[in-house]
Amino acid sequence: MTNPTTEPSARLIGLLALPIIVYLSTRWIHIFITDAHTYLIYDYTGRLLILIYVICIPEVRAFALSCYQRPWRGRQGRLPWGVLFAITVIIQCFGWELAGYLSQPLNSSQVHTKLFIPIHIEEVWLQLVDLSLGLALVAFSEELLFRGIMKRLLESVIENKIAIIFVASLIFGLMHWPGGVGKIVNTGITGVFFMVSYFYAKSLWPCTVAHYLINFIYFSEI
């Protein structure tokens, strides 16, 4: 089994890149889906396949576990990890609010660039499932792909941390292109806060929790 703390091999790079490539290449399909049930089946299936892939491939599983280690592990003499965890989540949520404020003019002026608007779910029980398990799947899959794996892939070709943060956040923003120009800017700026957090905390737990909370607030209002 590949040790995730060592320099990644070409095999590991390929195994980590595959789910990102597949995810991005199928991202456009959902803009043609207008039925809530069909959309949820499509969305859940894709994210569950990512989870199955992570579990079934030993090298990818080992890497994913390394991404979800205890935050700030081994850092003695600092604030308790629980306090740092909470502070990090709050900062990330602030980043989302700031990104929303900065991108609001684009959201208003570039409405025509929106190719997809979230579909309203009528059934209460299905809303509850989507707001709990569904959003948990979203948070886990996107943080693992676009923070954990993306950081490792970019580190194999880029040495500068600022460049890695910028490129990863740009890709994360462009991944949301169906939501329009404003959405790209919004998620791109939010991605900067998340990637900086991941560099510091060395764990995806704060990112995943913040991602879930942000999506929960957003989709609860739809």
Side-chain angles (χ1 to χ4, degrees):
M1 181 181 297
T2 303
N3 185 345
T5 62
T6 62
E7 188 69 21
S9 64
R11 170 181 166 80
L12 179 59
I13 290 296
L15 289 173
L16 294 178
L18 180 60
I20 292 182
I21 294 173
V22 173
Y23 185 86
L24 291 176
S25 64
T26 58
R27 181 69 180 167
W28 57 274
I29 296 176
H30 75 284
I31 66 177
F32 299 104
I33 302 176
T34 57
D35 175 69
H37 296 146
T38 304
Y39 174 77
L40 291 179
I41 291 173
Y42 168 75
D43 190 57
Y44 290 177
T45 299
R47 298 182 191 282
L48 285 172
L49 287 175
I50 292 174
L51 181 60
I52 292 172
Y53 179 84
V54 170
I55 293 174
C56 292
I57 308 298
E59 296 96 329
V60 180
R61 183 173 67 247
F63 175 79
L65 290 174
S66 73
C67 291
Y68 279 93
Q69 64 182 340
R70 180 172 173 173
W72 302 278
R73 185 175 63 183
R75 298 191 176 194
Q76 302 297 326
R78 297 193 176 187
L79 289 173
W81 75 269
V83 175
L84 290 170
F85 183 98
I87 292 174
T88 304
V89 170
I90 292 171
I91 290 174
Q92 288 171 319
C93 291
F94 168 78
W96 172 61
E97 288 287 349
L98 176 62
Y101 175 78
L102 295 175
S103 62
Q104 186 57 44
L106 286 173
N107 284 324
S108 301
S109 63
Q110 302 296 316
V111 176
H112 61 282
T113 63
K114 291 185 178 181
L115 301 179
F116 176 79
I117 299 176
I119 302 172
H120 179 69
I121 303 171
E122 298 293 340
E123 298 90 339
V124 175
W125 70 269
L126 195 52
Q127 290 178 8
L128 294 175
V129 170
D130 191 49
L131 290 174
S132 54
L133 297 178
L135 293 187
L137 272 175
V138 171
F140 169 78
S141 60
E142 292 189 0
E143 287 309 314
L144 182 60
L145 292 181
F146 295 99
R147 237 69 66 188
I149 292 178
M150 186 64 69
K151 176 176 177 289
R152 174 56 66 91
L153 294 178
L154 291 176
E155 284 177 337
S156 66
V157 293
I158 303 175
E159 294 184 359
N160 187 279
K161 288 185 178 180
I162 295 178
I164 291 174
I165 292 170
F166 175 79
V167 173
S169 301
L170 178 63
I171 294 174
F172 184 64
L174 291 174
M175 186 268 290
H176 291 83
W177 63 268
V181 175
K183 187 70 171 180
I184 293 174
V185 173
N186 186 310
T187 51
I189 295 174
T190 304
V192 171
F193 281 84
F194 276 55
M195 185 58 84
V196 170
S197 164
Y198 182 44
F199 262 106
Y200 177 74
K202 301 185 184 304
S203 172
L204 284 179
W205 279 119
C207 296
T208 303
V209 171
H211 197 143
Y212 176 83
L213 291 176
I214 288 170
N215 282 353
F216 183 88
I217 295 171
Y218 175 76
F219 286 103
S220 295
E221 297 174 348
I222 295 179

